[in-house]
C-alpha cells in the first residue's frame, strides 16, 4: 500500500520535484535533518521532496516520504516556520497514524459484521453521516492534533522556536485558506488549532526553561530562542 501510494504521488508530481541541489530542497533538507535527529527514528529511510506547485500543503506517506509544496514557503517564511510544518509531518510517521487509521477502519468493518450476525442492519448505525461525521473525521482530527503536539516537542528538542507554529497557522488563516467548518473536516479549524498551539507552546517553552537557567540567560542576551538553544546544544 505504501509503495502504491508513493508511485501514485510520483506519477502525479514527479516532473515537478525540484533537484536536491536546489536552494528550496537544501532549505527543507537541512531543517528536516535536525528534526529527524531528535525523532528517535533516525534509522528510517527518510526522503524529503520539494514540489514546485502553488498548493499551500505538505504531507507524509508511510515509510517516511515527505512532500513539501513550494506554495507553502511564503506561509512558513523562515526556518522555524518550516520546522513547524516538517515536525508535524514527521510526527504523523512517529505516531504511525496511517496504520492507526487502517486499524480503525478495520474495527468499524468488524463491528458492521457483528451487527449483521446479530440481525441488525449495519446501515442503521454505519450510514454515510455517522461513519464520516461521527467516526472517521473526529478520529482524523485527533491524529492531526496529536501530530501538532509531537511536532512542537520535536521543534523544541531540535532547537527551533515552537512559538513559530502559531504564526504559521495565523499566516495560513490570513492567506485566505479558511477551510470548511471543523465538524465537516478531517483537520481542526485554523482558529481551534491556533488556540490549542498557544497552550501547548507554553508547555514546551517551560520545559526548556526548566532544564537550564543558563538557557534563559542566553535568550536574554541573544534575544532569540533558536540562537540560545543552538549555542547550548550544538
Amino acid at each position: 500500500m505504501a509503495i502504491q501510494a508513493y508511485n501514485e504521488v510520483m506519477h502525479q508530481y514527479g516532473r515537478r520535484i525540484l533537484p536536491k541541489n536546489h536552494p528550496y530542497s537544501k532549505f527543507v533538507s537541512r531543517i528536516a535533518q535536525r528534526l529527524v535527529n531528535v525523532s528517535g527514528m533516525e534509522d528510517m529511510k527518510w526522503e524529503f521532496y520539494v514540489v514546485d506547485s502553488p498548493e499551500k500543503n505538505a504531507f507524509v506517506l508511510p515509510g517516511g516520504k515527505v512532500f513539501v509544496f513550494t506554495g507553502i514557503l511564503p506561509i512558513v517564511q523562515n526556518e522555524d516556520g518550516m520546522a513547524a510544518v516538517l515536525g508535524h509531518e514527521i510526527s504523523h510517521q512517529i505516531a504511525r497514524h496511517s496504520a492507526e487509521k487502517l486499524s480503525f477502519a478495520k474495527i468499524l468493518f468488524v463491528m458492521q459484521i457483528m451487527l449483521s450476525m446479530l440481525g441488525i442492519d449495519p446501515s442503521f448505525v454505519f450510514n454515510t453521516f455517522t461513519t464520516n461525521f461521527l467516526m472517521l473525521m473526529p478520529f482524523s482530527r485527533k491524529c492531526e492534533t496529536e501530530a501538532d503536539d509531537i511536532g512542537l516537542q520535536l521543534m523544541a528538542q531540535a532547537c527551533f522556536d515552537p512559538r513559530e507554529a502559531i504564526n504559521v497557522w495565523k499566516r495560513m488563516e490570513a492567506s485566505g485558506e479558511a477551510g470548511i467548518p471543523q465538524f465537516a473536516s478531517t483537520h481542526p479549524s485554523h482558529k481551534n488549532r491556533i488556540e490549542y498551539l498557544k497552550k501547548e507552546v507554553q508547555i514546551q517553552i517551560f520545559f526548556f526553561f526548566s532544564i537550564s537557567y543558563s538557557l534563559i540567560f542566553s535568550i536574554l542576551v541573544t534575544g532569540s530562542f533558536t540562537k540560545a538553544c543552538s549555542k547550548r546544544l550544538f
Side-chain angles (χ1 to χ4, degrees):
M1 184 178 294
I3 295 175
Q4 181 182 351
Y6 174 77
N7 289 337
E8 289 176 357
V9 171
M10 293 303 288
H11 177 74
Q12 183 175 359
Y13 297 110
R15 294 183 179 180
R16 285 185 276 173
I17 291 177
L18 298 178
K20 297 295 183 183
N21 60 354
H22 191 282
Y24 290 163
S25 299
K26 290 182 177 180
F27 173 66
V28 169
S29 295
R30 183 174 67 251
I31 296 165
Q33 190 57 57
R34 283 174 58 180
L35 293 165
V36 167
N37 287 344
V38 299
S39 70
M41 300 185 71
E42 299 92 326
D43 294 335
M44 174 167 280
K45 195 174 181 181
W46 293 93
E47 296 178 21
F48 294 88
Y49 301 93
V50 179
V51 182
D52 187 13
S53 188
E55 292 100 313
K56 302 179 184 70
N57 193 24
F59 63 87
V60 62
L61 296 178
K65 309 296 189 291
V66 180
F67 293 81
V68 178
F69 293 82
T70 55
I72 205 170
L73 295 179
I75 302 297
V76 302
Q77 291 191 0
N78 52 56
E79 288 193 350
D80 295 316
M82 179 54 73
V85 171
L86 292 175
H88 177 88
E89 301 306 330
I90 291 171
S91 296
H92 276 306
Q93 180 65 56
I94 292 173
R96 302 185 75 249
H97 283 154
S98 294
E100 275 192 17
K101 290 178 181 179
L102 182 59
S103 297
F104 186 66
K106 289 180 178 179
I107 290 172
L108 295 182
F109 179 69
V110 170
M111 290 174 65
Q112 292 181 57
I113 294 177
M114 292 177 65
L115 288 174
S116 296
M117 294 175 65
L118 294 172
I120 302 173
D121 184 359
S123 63
F124 180 74
V125 177
F126 294 94
N127 54 54
T128 301
F129 177 82
T130 58
T131 301
N132 288 329
F133 291 93
L134 301 182
M135 300 177 190
L136 295 178
M137 289 182 181
F139 183 79
S140 181
R141 290 195 294 270
K142 179 194 80 70
C143 291
E144 291 299 319
T145 299
E146 186 177 16
D148 282 341
D149 188 17
I150 299 173
L152 290 178
Q153 296 176 44
L154 292 179
M155 287 182 70
Q157 291 171 26
C159 282
F160 291 106
D161 190 342
R163 293 171 296 185
E164 190 61 23
I166 299 170
N167 295 328
V168 167
W169 284 105
K170 284 182 177 179
R171 289 192 289 267
M172 183 70 81
E173 187 175 39
S175 73
E177 296 288 327
I180 58 179
Q182 177 170 293
F183 75 89
S185 175
T186 57
H187 289 61
S189 67
H190 293 334
K191 179 181 178 181
N192 289 344
R193 200 166 207 162
I194 290 169
E195 290 304 312
Y196 176 80
L197 288 172
K198 284 180 178 178
K199 291 185 287 187
E200 292 302 309
V201 161
Q202 296 304 316
I203 296 174
Q204 295 306 320
I205 295 296
F206 178 78
F207 169 74
F208 261 84
F209 283 1
S210 65
I211 289 178
S212 173
Y213 287 108
S214 63
L215 178 61
I216 303 176
F217 176 76
S218 187
I219 291 175
L220 293 175
V221 172
T222 64
S224 168
F225 177 94
T226 304
K227 288 181 180 178
C229 188
S230 297
K231 284 184 177 181
R232 179 174 175 270
L233 297 181
F234 296 100

